[in-house]
Amino acid sequence: MKKLIFLAIVAVMMLSACGSKTNNVAETAETADSLTTDSAEAKAAPGINLDSVKHTKDYIAQRIDTIYKYKNDGLYCSERYCALQSEVIKLSDERDEIYFDGDHWINGQDIDPKWSYKVKKIELEGDSVAWADITIHNFSDSRVKLRLLYERGDWFVDDFCFFYKEDGTIKEIRELEGMKEYISANRKK
């Protein structure tokens, strides 16, 4: 598998060097990353069922690496998540409130120069749902669980679950659930 990925990266680099006519470095880097995780296996090894490759823990771990490299909701969150997020932003703007007061990618408001993340465990739940248990270091270590949804031919973050300790008990905050509650409580009827 590592050899296939290496060959795919070399192929992508060659294609990028020869065929890219854009001056947008970020776009080129993102395209190369996307090719590495999205279709490199198919180009490097004809006959492999790409869909089955995308449903492996190794592929999902690589996808998470790409997601965390760019930390972009519009590109890496599910359609459902983005729709709810847009509605929350609209409602909070109308109410002159701040709903999102931190960055879910870094799990905080400020970022530690030594910020990092580590995928601890990936679990597949059927063909369309996976869970990634991650430790994020942002001034201290914290546990974050991502619910990933397989749609549009790849894995997208559908929910961020944060864990914290209160009165000696571990509690969980699910971002998707919080957005739904906010919309329900503040939607004009």
Side-chain angles (χ1 to χ4, degrees), residues 64 119 121-123 130-134 144-148:
I64 291 169
V119 177
K121 184 178 180 183
I122 295 173
E123 295 178 25
W131 291 90
D133 211 333
I134 298 173
V144 176
K145 202 166 183 181
L146 302 177
R147 181 179 192 271
L148 301 164

Side-chain angles (χ1 to χ4, degrees), residues 20-37:
S20 179
K21 294 187 182 194
T22 180
N23 290 329
N24 187 336
V25 175
E27 182 181 316
T28 304
E30 192 167 327
T31 302
D33 243 5
S34 176
L35 289 172
T36 301
T37 58

Side-chain angles (χ1 to χ4, degrees), residues 30-157:
E30 192 167 327
T31 302
D33 243 5
S34 176
L35 289 172
T36 301
T37 58
D38 299 348
S39 63
E41 293 89 350
K43 289 182 179 184
I48 290 180
N49 180 347
L50 183 58
D51 194 53
S52 67
V53 170
K54 286 185 175 184
H55 284 79
T56 64
K57 291 179 182 181
D58 286 339
Y59 177 85
I60 294 170
Q62 289 176 350
R63 177 71 173 166
I64 291 169
D65 286 343
T66 299
I67 289 169
Y68 268 90
K69 181 175 183 178
Y70 296 103
K71 300 183 217 64
N72 182 309
D73 294 356
L75 293 175
Y76 297 111
C77 289
S78 70
E79 290 177 340
R80 172 176 72 164
Y81 181 92
C82 289
L84 286 171
Q85 183 185 50
S86 292
E87 192 166 349
V88 164
I89 290 168
K90 181 180 176 218
L91 284 170
S92 65
D93 285 348
E94 288 171 0
R95 299 174 55 80
D96 200 26
E97 297 175 340
I98 296 173
Y99 181 82
F100 296 104
D101 66 347
D103 184 335
H104 48 223
W105 298 110
I106 65 168
N107 195 20
Q109 293 175 326
D110 300 319
I111 188 163
D112 183 345
K114 295 180 181 176
W115 179 88
S116 65
Y117 73 95
K118 181 175 181 161
V119 177
K120 302 297 259 177
K121 184 178 180 183
I122 295 173
E123 295 178 25
L124 289 158
E125 188 179 295
D127 290 337
S128 62
V129 175
W131 291 90
D133 211 333
I134 298 173
T135 298
I136 292 182
H137 177 81
N138 192 24
F139 299 105
S140 64
D141 287 350
S142 60
R143 180 180 176 214
V144 176
K145 202 166 183 181
L146 302 177
R147 181 179 192 271
L148 301 164
L149 189 62
Y150 191 79
E151 64 180 26
R152 303 180 316 243
D154 217 334
W155 294 98
F156 295 86
V157 178

